[in-house]
Amino acid sequence: MSDAVSQKKPGRRAVKTAAAGVAGVALLAGLGTTFAKWYEEQSIGESSLQSGHLNLDVSGAEWVDVNHDNKKIDAATFKMVPGDKLQYTASVTPDLVGDNLEATLKVNTSETVTGDLKDVLKVTTTVGDNNATEKVVKPGDTAAVPVTVVLEFPLTKDGAAPAADKTNWWGSTGEDATVNLSSTKVELVQNDNP
Amino acid sequence: MAVASAVRAAAALVAAGLGIALLSPAGTTLARWHQGTALADTDISTGGFHLTTGELAAVRLQSRFSAEERAFTTGTACQPAPGYSACRDLGGGDVAGQLLVPGDRIELSHTFTALASGDHLEGTVLINGKPAASQLPVGSTVSATVRRGGAPVANPSRISGTDSEDTKKAVWTARVAVATPPMWPSDFQRSKLALGALTISVEQVH
């Protein structure tokens, strides 16, 4: 009886040894590497790199009726008719941070007038001084830039006085249409990095 | 190893897909920064004139001949105006079937609405009978009276984008009287008179 037990011990040890070996191999294989090599690392800088930013702040925005003593109007309720001229003014302060950052400030009017109004309403913009339509700004340019948008519904098709025979009148063209102010944006767009 | 290669290939494809997605239709990169602010939360609208013709409310025929001297094809008898011997109220559809004779006077009553929409829009409403008169025998006259919401107004009459809402909603009535002379040239016999040439127009005042 005791011989039988003592005869089984070497077999169990062998099984345990084999299992341990297999587990070790599996661990190494699963991690795909060995723990047997040395390594060491050092940070390449004492501080982290930070990205910059590009922002703009619009203040003092208002719409006025140019042909009526620049009276302030509510764009939401005003209805334009031939002969009207409205002007938007605002001060835009750019805020740029970035070593190689440069951007262009402009007014995007590509979607301002569509449909019937596209050939009727005149849209002009100025950014900054000298009637420019855009201005390049850089980090440190923190002065407010005046921006204007003028919407003009000419009195007649040719800009002349209304003809007696009504040939240069608008007829019904441009009636009950919409000027897409919500799609017209003062934009600051990053220039290509030189 | 084969599985790892497949994973790398898939990752490369995804990266390429993202790269393409970042390109705009114009082929330029969208990778630059930009910031924008709309000029307004709402849009500006344009105004306009709104002229809507209503119905031919009534047609009255005044005749210098009595009912016995001429044949009325239809209509209801009414009180003749001074200087006339017979009167018939006609429905709008009966006008075309009624034969006119020299001296007849047709009175048309037509409703319409006219309003201006626009902060600085002013206009005039005009009932114009001249085109009709030009097709009638010489000596014919066309006159018009206009009421707005029941109150008499001038012809032409002004409307404004700043009129009150009640005023804008008011129904207009144009009463047009077309009086023909007692004698017609013979070439007007069996001819059609285009009374439809009476026009209502609205035009901007500059």
Side-chain angles (χ1 to χ4, degrees), chain B residues 5-18:
Chain B
S5 295
V7 169
R8 277 196 295 273
L13 284 173
V14 170
L18 288 174

Side-chain angles (χ1 to χ4, degrees), chain B residues 66-193:
Chain B
S66 66
E68 292 73 30
E69 295 172 308
R70 64 178 295 174
F72 289 109
T73 56
T74 185
T76 306
C78 51
Q79 182 64 38
Y84 291 88
S85 303
C87 173
R88 286 290 185 277
D89 281 330
L90 310 172
D94 298 331
V95 178
Q98 184 64 54
L99 298 176
L100 300 181
V101 297
D104 279 353
R105 186 174 85 178
I106 295 265
E107 299 167 358
L108 307 168
S109 181
H110 210 292
T111 60
F112 64 97
T113 57
L115 63 89
S117 169
D119 287 60
H120 303 303
L121 187 58
E122 301 281 331
T124 55
V125 177
L126 174 68
I127 312 299
N128 189 2
K130 289 180 181 175
S134 66
Q135 300 179 48
L136 299 173
V138 174
S140 296
T141 61
V142 178
S143 61
T145 59
V146 188
R147 288 179 175 269
R148 185 183 193 183
V153 293
N155 182 35
S157 187
R158 292 287 287 265
I159 58 174
S160 169
T162 58
D163 286 338
S164 70
E165 286 304 309
D166 284 345
T167 303
K168 288 181 178 180
K169 289 177 184 174
V171 175
W172 296 59
T173 304
R175 292 177 59 85
V176 180
V178 181
T180 63
M183 296 183 65
W184 292 8
S186 59
D187 54 354
F188 275 93
Q189 292 182 33
R190 298 185 182 281
S191 64
K192 289 185 177 180
L193 304 180

Side-chain angles (χ1 to χ4, degrees), chain A residues 58 61-64 86-90 147-150 186, chain B residues 37-40:
Chain A
V58 178
E62 66 175 17
W63 282 93
V64 296
L86 306 180
Q87 179 173 286
Y88 166 92
T89 56
V147 171
T148 66
V149 179
V150 175
V186 178
Chain B
T37 300
L39 264 59

